[in-house]
mmCIF file of all heavy atoms in Angstrom:
data_model
loop_
_atom_site.group_PDB
_atom_site.id
_atom_site.type_symbol
_atom_site.label_atom_id
_atom_site.label_comp_id
_atom_site.label_asym_id
_atom_site.label_seq_id
_atom_site.Cartn_x
_atom_site.Cartn_y
_atom_site.Cartn_z
ATOM 1 N N GLY A 20 8.461 8.956 -10.002
ATOM 2 C CA GLY A 20 7.693 7.750 -10.292
ATOM 3 C C GLY A 20 7.077 7.251 -9.037
ATOM 4 O O GLY A 20 7.760 7.399 -7.958
ATOM 5 N N VAL A 21 5.869 6.809 -9.046
ATOM 6 C CA VAL A 21 5.198 6.179 -7.874
ATOM 7 C C VAL A 21 6.045 5.076 -7.290
ATOM 8 O O VAL A 21 6.487 4.106 -8.055
ATOM 9 C CB VAL A 21 3.740 5.844 -8.159
ATOM 10 C CG1 VAL A 21 3.122 5.167 -6.911
ATOM 11 C CG2 VAL A 21 2.947 7.098 -8.564
ATOM 12 N N VAL A 22 6.184 5.120 -5.966
ATOM 13 C CA VAL A 22 6.943 4.058 -5.388
ATOM 14 C C VAL A 22 5.892 3.133 -4.685
ATOM 15 O O VAL A 22 5.055 3.540 -3.975
ATOM 16 C CB VAL A 22 7.879 4.589 -4.316
ATOM 17 C CG1 VAL A 22 8.555 3.519 -3.406
ATOM 18 C CG2 VAL A 22 8.942 5.395 -4.905
ATOM 19 N N THR A 23 6.075 1.780 -4.984
ATOM 20 C CA THR A 23 4.982 0.897 -4.401
ATOM 21 C C THR A 23 5.668 0.079 -3.267
ATOM 22 O O THR A 23 4.870 -0.380 -2.344
ATOM 23 C CB THR A 23 4.584 -0.089 -5.450
ATOM 24 O OG1 THR A 23 5.627 -0.747 -6.077
ATOM 25 C CG2 THR A 23 3.678 0.730 -6.457
ATOM 26 N N GLU A 24 7.011 -0.035 -3.204
ATOM 27 C CA GLU A 24 7.667 -0.689 -2.071
ATOM 28 C C GLU A 24 8.807 0.124 -1.587
ATOM 29 O O GLU A 24 9.619 0.644 -2.374
ATOM 30 C CB GLU A 24 8.231 -2.066 -2.566
ATOM 31 C CG GLU A 24 7.117 -2.999 -2.902
ATOM 32 C CD GLU A 24 7.812 -4.415 -3.267
ATOM 33 O OE1 GLU A 24 8.829 -4.765 -2.650
ATOM 34 O OE2 GLU A 24 7.104 -5.109 -4.057
ATOM 35 N N MET A 25 8.760 0.363 -0.215
ATOM 36 C CA MET A 25 9.771 1.246 0.355
ATOM 37 C C MET A 25 10.845 0.425 1.077
ATOM 38 O O MET A 25 10.639 -0.614 1.631
ATOM 39 C CB MET A 25 9.202 2.157 1.484
ATOM 40 C CG MET A 25 8.586 3.347 0.969
ATOM 41 S SD MET A 25 7.195 3.168 -0.198
ATOM 42 C CE MET A 25 5.945 2.405 0.727
ATOM 43 N N THR A 26 12.099 0.864 0.726
ATOM 44 C CA THR A 26 13.234 0.234 1.400
ATOM 45 C C THR A 26 14.032 1.423 2.007
ATOM 46 O O THR A 26 14.246 2.429 1.307
ATOM 47 C CB THR A 26 14.055 -0.619 0.494
ATOM 48 O OG1 THR A 26 14.582 0.166 -0.546
ATOM 49 C CG2 THR A 26 13.223 -1.796 -0.003
ATOM 50 N N PRO A 27 14.688 1.204 3.195
ATOM 51 C CA PRO A 27 15.476 2.262 3.654
ATOM 52 C C PRO A 27 16.605 2.679 2.782
ATOM 53 O O PRO A 27 17.109 1.859 1.986
ATOM 54 C CB PRO A 27 16.153 1.540 5.003
ATOM 55 C CG PRO A 27 15.234 0.511 5.374
ATOM 56 C CD PRO A 27 14.629 -0.011 3.998
ATOM 57 N N ASN A 28 17.035 3.866 2.792
ATOM 58 C CA ASN A 28 18.012 4.564 2.050
ATOM 59 C C ASN A 28 17.657 4.860 0.678
ATOM 60 O O ASN A 28 18.564 5.204 -0.186
ATOM 61 C CB ASN A 28 19.272 3.650 2.127
ATOM 62 C CG ASN A 28 19.828 3.557 3.529
ATOM 63 O OD1 ASN A 28 19.744 4.551 4.347
ATOM 64 N ND2 ASN A 28 20.256 2.356 3.946
ATOM 65 N N GLU A 29 16.442 4.641 0.265
ATOM 66 C CA GLU A 29 15.939 5.076 -1.033
ATOM 67 C C GLU A 29 15.714 6.476 -1.004
ATOM 68 O O GLU A 29 15.327 7.114 0.087
ATOM 69 C CB GLU A 29 14.736 4.288 -1.451
ATOM 70 C CG GLU A 29 14.991 2.968 -1.957
ATOM 71 C CD GLU A 29 13.789 2.272 -2.677
ATOM 72 O OE1 GLU A 29 13.702 2.430 -3.861
ATOM 73 O OE2 GLU A 29 13.014 1.648 -1.893
ATOM 74 N N ASP A 30 15.728 7.238 -2.186
ATOM 75 C CA ASP A 30 15.365 8.633 -2.213
ATOM 76 C C ASP A 30 13.896 8.807 -2.446
ATOM 77 O O ASP A 30 13.392 8.820 -3.617
ATOM 78 C CB ASP A 30 16.075 9.334 -3.533
ATOM 79 C CG ASP A 30 17.550 9.525 -3.190
ATOM 80 O OD1 ASP A 30 17.917 9.666 -2.014
ATOM 81 O OD2 ASP A 30 18.255 9.516 -4.106
ATOM 82 N N ILE A 31 13.166 8.673 -1.331
ATOM 83 C CA ILE A 31 11.686 8.605 -1.409
ATOM 84 C C ILE A 31 11.208 9.871 -0.841
ATOM 85 O O ILE A 31 11.641 10.420 0.150
ATOM 86 C CB ILE A 31 11.170 7.441 -0.525
ATOM 87 C CG1 ILE A 31 11.512 6.183 -1.339
ATOM 88 C CG2 ILE A 31 9.539 7.514 -0.455
ATOM 89 C CD1 ILE A 31 11.177 4.911 -0.528
ATOM 90 N N ALA A 32 10.181 10.411 -1.489
ATOM 91 C CA ALA A 32 9.492 11.683 -0.966
ATOM 92 C C ALA A 32 7.995 11.443 -0.956
ATOM 93 O O ALA A 32 7.454 10.451 -1.680
ATOM 94 C CB ALA A 32 9.738 12.826 -1.981
ATOM 95 N N ILE A 33 7.331 12.041 -0.043
ATOM 96 C CA ILE A 33 5.861 12.161 0.021
ATOM 97 C C ILE A 33 5.364 13.494 -0.664
ATOM 98 O O ILE A 33 5.866 14.475 -0.093
ATOM 99 C CB ILE A 33 5.391 11.850 1.369
ATOM 100 C CG1 ILE A 33 5.895 10.583 1.979
ATOM 101 C CG2 ILE A 33 3.796 11.791 1.328
ATOM 102 C CD1 ILE A 33 6.076 10.563 3.366
ATOM 103 N N CYS A 34 4.563 13.514 -1.536
ATOM 104 C CA CYS A 34 4.181 14.740 -2.195
ATOM 105 C C CYS A 34 2.635 14.975 -1.994
ATOM 106 O O CYS A 34 1.905 13.974 -2.097
ATOM 107 C CB CYS A 34 4.444 14.806 -3.628
ATOM 108 S SG CYS A 34 6.247 14.588 -3.958
ATOM 109 N N VAL A 35 2.207 16.223 -1.738
ATOM 110 C CA VAL A 35 0.808 16.493 -1.731
ATOM 111 C C VAL A 35 0.499 17.805 -2.528
ATOM 112 O O VAL A 35 1.375 18.757 -2.601
ATOM 113 C CB VAL A 35 0.402 16.672 -0.308
ATOM 114 C CG1 VAL A 35 1.053 17.891 0.419
ATOM 115 C CG2 VAL A 35 -1.197 16.784 -0.140
ATOM 116 N N ALA A 36 -0.706 17.723 -3.049
ATOM 117 C CA ALA A 36 -1.196 18.957 -3.788
ATOM 118 C C ALA A 36 -2.592 19.012 -3.456
ATOM 119 O O ALA A 36 -3.316 18.033 -3.481
ATOM 120 C CB ALA A 36 -0.961 18.984 -5.332
ATOM 121 N N ALA A 37 -3.124 20.220 -3.061
ATOM 122 C CA ALA A 37 -4.445 20.427 -2.653
ATOM 123 C C ALA A 37 -4.825 21.873 -2.761
ATOM 124 O O ALA A 37 -3.964 22.800 -2.793
ATOM 125 C CB ALA A 37 -4.653 19.895 -1.230
ATOM 126 N N TYR A 38 -6.149 22.130 -2.777
ATOM 127 C CA TYR A 38 -6.559 23.494 -2.836
ATOM 128 C C TYR A 38 -7.176 23.904 -1.471
ATOM 129 O O TYR A 38 -7.996 23.059 -0.918
ATOM 130 C CB TYR A 38 -7.788 23.644 -3.895
ATOM 131 C CG TYR A 38 -7.214 23.551 -5.307
ATOM 132 C CD1 TYR A 38 -7.059 22.351 -5.960
ATOM 133 C CD2 TYR A 38 -6.899 24.756 -5.952
ATOM 134 C CE1 TYR A 38 -6.402 22.230 -7.273
ATOM 135 C CE2 TYR A 38 -6.340 24.583 -7.249
ATOM 136 C CZ TYR A 38 -6.244 23.432 -7.980
ATOM 137 O OH TYR A 38 -5.770 23.384 -9.181
ATOM 138 N N VAL A 39 -6.855 24.961 -0.997
ATOM 139 C CA VAL A 39 -7.433 25.647 0.261
ATOM 140 C C VAL A 39 -7.858 27.003 -0.243
ATOM 141 O O VAL A 39 -6.926 27.815 -0.757
ATOM 142 C CB VAL A 39 -6.491 25.727 1.382
ATOM 143 C CG1 VAL A 39 -7.144 26.345 2.551
ATOM 144 C CG2 VAL A 39 -6.001 24.322 1.806
ATOM 145 N N GLU A 40 -9.138 27.328 -0.080
ATOM 146 C CA GLU A 40 -9.643 28.763 -0.449
ATOM 147 C C GLU A 40 -9.264 28.967 -2.043
ATOM 148 O O GLU A 40 -8.770 30.116 -2.312
ATOM 149 C CB GLU A 40 -9.139 29.755 0.491
ATOM 150 C CG GLU A 40 -9.549 29.656 1.844
ATOM 151 C CD GLU A 40 -8.958 30.676 2.718
ATOM 152 O OE1 GLU A 40 -8.079 31.472 2.339
ATOM 153 O OE2 GLU A 40 -9.695 30.976 3.898
ATOM 154 N N ASP A 41 -9.374 27.925 -2.767
ATOM 155 C CA ASP A 41 -9.085 28.037 -4.211
ATOM 156 C C ASP A 41 -7.689 28.398 -4.586
ATOM 157 O O ASP A 41 -7.226 28.867 -5.643
ATOM 158 C CB ASP A 41 -10.017 29.133 -4.968
ATOM 159 C CG ASP A 41 -11.524 28.612 -4.878
ATOM 160 O OD1 ASP A 41 -11.677 27.412 -5.036
ATOM 161 O OD2 ASP A 41 -12.348 29.389 -4.701
ATOM 162 N N VAL A 42 -6.814 28.263 -3.620
ATOM 163 C CA VAL A 42 -5.349 28.419 -3.755
ATOM 164 C C VAL A 42 -4.559 26.979 -3.865
ATOM 165 O O VAL A 42 -4.852 26.232 -2.955
ATOM 166 C CB VAL A 42 -4.698 29.234 -2.652
ATOM 167 C CG1 VAL A 42 -3.204 29.353 -2.922
ATOM 168 C CG2 VAL A 42 -5.323 30.688 -2.575
ATOM 169 N N ARG A 43 -4.130 26.755 -5.012
ATOM 170 C CA ARG A 43 -3.290 25.388 -5.129
ATOM 171 C C ARG A 43 -2.052 25.469 -4.269
ATOM 172 O O ARG A 43 -1.184 26.321 -4.534
ATOM 173 C CB ARG A 43 -3.036 25.075 -6.448
ATOM 174 C CG ARG A 43 -2.567 23.617 -6.648
ATOM 175 C CD ARG A 43 -2.411 23.311 -8.200
ATOM 176 N NE ARG A 43 -2.205 21.919 -8.419
ATOM 177 C CZ ARG A 43 -0.877 21.474 -8.617
ATOM 178 N NH1 ARG A 43 0.149 22.422 -8.633
ATOM 179 N NH2 ARG A 43 -0.552 20.152 -8.785
ATOM 180 N N LEU A 44 -2.013 24.491 -3.348
ATOM 181 C CA LEU A 44 -0.762 24.435 -2.497
ATOM 182 C C LEU A 44 -0.063 23.060 -2.746
ATOM 183 O O LEU A 44 -0.777 22.031 -2.928
ATOM 184 C CB LEU A 44 -1.215 24.500 -0.989
ATOM 185 C CG LEU A 44 -1.896 25.721 -0.658
ATOM 186 C CD1 LEU A 44 -2.462 25.608 0.805
ATOM 187 C CD2 LEU A 44 -0.941 26.997 -0.752
#
């Protein structure tokens, strides 16, 4: 779920998806 407020010790990740040379990474 999208996190709108960060507090230390939470299980937070930053995720990215993008295409480079038509390859989804």
Side-chain angles (χ1 to χ4, degrees):
V21 173
V22 173
T23 56
E24 293 185 30
M25 276 59 64
T26 58
N28 302 319
E29 281 192 88
D30 285 334
I31 295 173
I33 307 155
C34 301
V35 65
Y38 290 86
V39 175
E40 297 180 344
D41 292 324
V42 177
R43 185 173 187 263
L44 302 172

